[in-house]
Amino acid sequence: MAERKLFTSESVADGHPDKVADQISDAILDAHIAGDPCSRVACETLVTTDLCVIAGEITSRKEVDYIGIAKKVITRIGYTDPELGFSAESARFVVAVHKQSPDIARGVDESGDREQGAGDQGLMFGYACRETDAFMPLPIYLAHRITQRLKEVRESGEIKYLRPDGKSQVTVEYEGRKPLRVTAVVCSAQHSPEIDDRAMEKRLRPEILEKVILPCIPERMLDRKTCRFYINPTGRFEIGGPAGDTGVTGRKIIVDTYGGKGSHGGGCFSGKDPSKVDRSATYMARHIAKNIVAAGLADECEIQLAYAIGVAEPVSVLVDTNGTGKTSDEAIAAAIREIFPLKPKAIIEYLKLRRPIFEKTARFGHFGRNDRDFTWERTDRAAELKRLCKTG
């Protein structure tokens, strides 16, 4: 019998302070790209009690109202009441933006016979597996479903006392690589003052279980008698969002990717235009890994790409199918180099990344989502991969 083990992943709501910061940074990126697709943007946001700081290096032909954009994002998320300690109208805004360093630009920009190079050095990973139809690991996939459901029941008014902040966490038991069952679920939801200790037990916890958690977990994966549910385990969660915890762009890199499955190169995505390979090459690595698994070449695949700043060709391409490959990793790597563009400019064009599509990536994960703008989720090269690798 294969070894049994537990694996846990977490997700956070769109009102989590770090995600508020991510969404503001990506909304600013979208505004620049909408007016100037070749904008160079590295935008960082910090949010805390009634304060929003926007900083970074931005070079663009498009003039952007940073404060107006931030207010729009904060309002959309649901921070509209000054009593929450953070709202679009009560917050103070500080903008500290300057142009990108010319030392970086000279290595990245095309000029004469010099092609566009990578916007920075670094290593990027992409991952895919057969655990879900989305080719995502089951724990992070379910955790995202729960935080999305929290948003749905709050915005629809189905659960009227919810506020924008929240978290989820899902633990799955595996036998070898096969997910067997969900053994624990944690869900913490910010709520209004009307929820006292009695209402926590009689109202919030039963409603979160029945209306949020259970609709998100497949019945075959859940035994309510053995699964442990931790719903607002500390009790009250009235103070939340940026008033309860300072949020900063780029701190939820594991939530944004695969929930701890596979590797991570360390770079975040939000606020970065696609010339930054932290973003574009990671999207491409996911696209490649997903096509490999969709082609039946492996049950699990991790891709690593690495770049040198100012250099177009990747310095390395690694395939690791973790022993599940139907052909050699070397043969798959050779097919990747033949099929997929790996230079920064070619990746941008191939994935159509010079579009204002990024704000929506900054909530509920960048991968495993059915959205036609998420071009990196396509599996349109699977047949070609299979043909080149000559598997049955």
Side-chain angles (χ1 to χ4, degrees):
M1 180 181 291
E3 177 188 9
R4 291 200 177 192
K5 59 185 178 182
L6 302 177
F7 193 88
T8 302
S9 296
E10 72 162 345
S11 177
V12 296
D14 61 338
H16 184 282
D18 291 331
K19 279 289 136 196
V20 174
D22 282 345
Q23 289 168 87
I24 292 171
S25 291
D26 270 338
I28 288 170
L29 168 63
D30 281 349
H32 278 293
I33 287 180
D36 176 8
C38 294
S39 295
R40 294 291 163 79
V41 178
C43 182
E44 313 291 342
T45 303
L46 177 147
V47 289
T48 188
T49 304
D50 270 340
L51 176 65
C52 175
V53 179
I54 299 166
E57 300 77 46
I58 297 177
T59 301
S60 176
R61 295 190 300 269
K62 172 68 174 177
E63 292 286 330
V64 166
D65 177 8
Y66 298 121
I67 294 175
I69 290 169
K71 285 185 174 184
K72 185 176 180 180
V73 171
I74 293 164
T75 299
R76 177 188 55 73
I77 292 170
Y79 289 112
T80 57
D81 183 355
E83 292 297 317
L84 295 177
F86 182 80
S87 73
E89 294 309 314
S90 62
R92 181 167 59 94
F93 292 85
V94 177
V95 177
V97 171
H98 55 278
K99 290 188 176 182
Q100 182 187 60
S101 163
D103 291 344
I104 296 175
R106 70 192 297 265
V108 178
D109 293 343
E110 286 186 302
S111 60
D113 60 354
R114 182 187 179 87
E115 60 186 327
Q116 179 177 326
D120 201 353
Q121 69 177 47
L123 49 144
M124 300 84 207
F125 289 92
Y127 180 83
C129 63
R130 290 197 175 279
E131 292 179 26
T132 64
D133 291 341
F135 296 89
M136 290 289 285
L138 185 62
I140 188 67
Y141 181 77
L142 295 180
H144 282 322
R145 288 185 65 180
I146 291 170
T147 52
Q148 286 175 301
R149 181 64 182 159
L150 270 179
K151 176 183 174 69
E152 290 169 6
V153 298
R154 174 176 61 85
E155 292 186 341
S156 70
E158 186 175 352
I159 302 182
K160 297 182 184 300
Y161 51 78
L162 290 181
R163 286 177 165 176
D165 200 356
K167 284 186 171 185
S168 68
Q169 185 174 285
V170 176
T171 300
V172 174
E173 181 181 16
Y174 286 80
E175 183 176 85
R177 292 190 178 89
K178 181 182 178 182
L180 295 179
R181 64 190 182 106
V182 174
T183 64
V185 178
V186 183
C187 184
S188 295
Q190 187 188 12
H191 57 79
S192 63
E194 69 187 83
I195 302 297
D196 56 18
D197 290 345
R198 177 177 172 78
M200 182 70 62
E201 289 298 327
K202 299 293 185 181
R203 188 177 176 191
L204 184 147
R205 286 182 174 136
E207 287 193 330
I208 293 294
L209 178 61
E210 296 298 329
K211 296 181 179 181
V212 176
I213 295 173
L214 295 181
C216 295
I217 309 293
E219 287 188 21
R220 61 183 174 79
M221 298 297 298
L222 186 63
D223 182 343
R224 292 181 64 172
K225 294 180 180 179
T226 60
C227 183
R228 294 167 293 164
F229 298 101
Y230 301 95
I231 300 169
N232 283 32
T234 63
R236 296 183 66 76
F237 184 8
E238 181 182 339
I239 300 172
D245 186 17
T246 298
V248 181
T249 299
R251 287 205 302 202
K252 287 293 175 281
I253 59 176
I254 300 303
V255 171
D256 282 344
T257 52
Y258 310 102
K261 274 288 186 81
S263 305
H264 198 293
C268 78
F269 307 143
S270 290
K272 296 178 179 177
D273 76 83
S275 75
K276 280 74 171 172
V277 283
D278 275 344
R279 183 164 222 159
S280 54
T282 303
Y283 288 178
M284 178 57 90
R286 160 65 177 175
H287 177 61
I288 295 169
K290 187 174 181 181
N291 274 270
I292 289 167
V293 176
L297 298 178
D299 294 329
E300 177 184 358
C301 183
E302 182 173 86
I303 301 294
Q304 186 200 53
L305 303 174
Y307 291 85
I309 187 169
V311 179
E313 285 282 357
V315 298
S316 68
V317 178
L318 173 72
V319 177
D320 183 1
T321 57
N322 200 16
T324 70
K326 307 304 187 287
T327 187
S328 71
D329 291 352
E330 292 82 359
I332 297 173
I336 288 169
R337 286 193 175 273
E338 184 169 340
I339 294 172
F340 295 98
L342 299 178
K343 295 179 181 180
K345 182 180 179 181
I347 290 174
I348 291 167
E349 293 173 350
Y350 175 82
L351 294 178
K352 300 180 174 64
L353 296 180
R354 294 205 185 280
R355 297 175 294 143
I357 60 170
F358 296 107
E359 183 189 349
K360 60 185 173 181
T361 70
R363 50 189 181 269
F364 311 123
H366 293 243
F367 307 123
R369 293 168 58 186
N370 184 21
D371 187 308
R372 66 179 184 179
D373 285 332
F374 289 33
T375 52
W376 49 94
E377 292 296 312
R378 299 178 313 202
T379 55
D380 51 342
R381 311 308 292 272
E384 191 175 359
L385 273 167
K386 188 172 183 177
R387 177 180 60 78
L388 278 178
C389 292
K390 296 179 181 176
T391 66

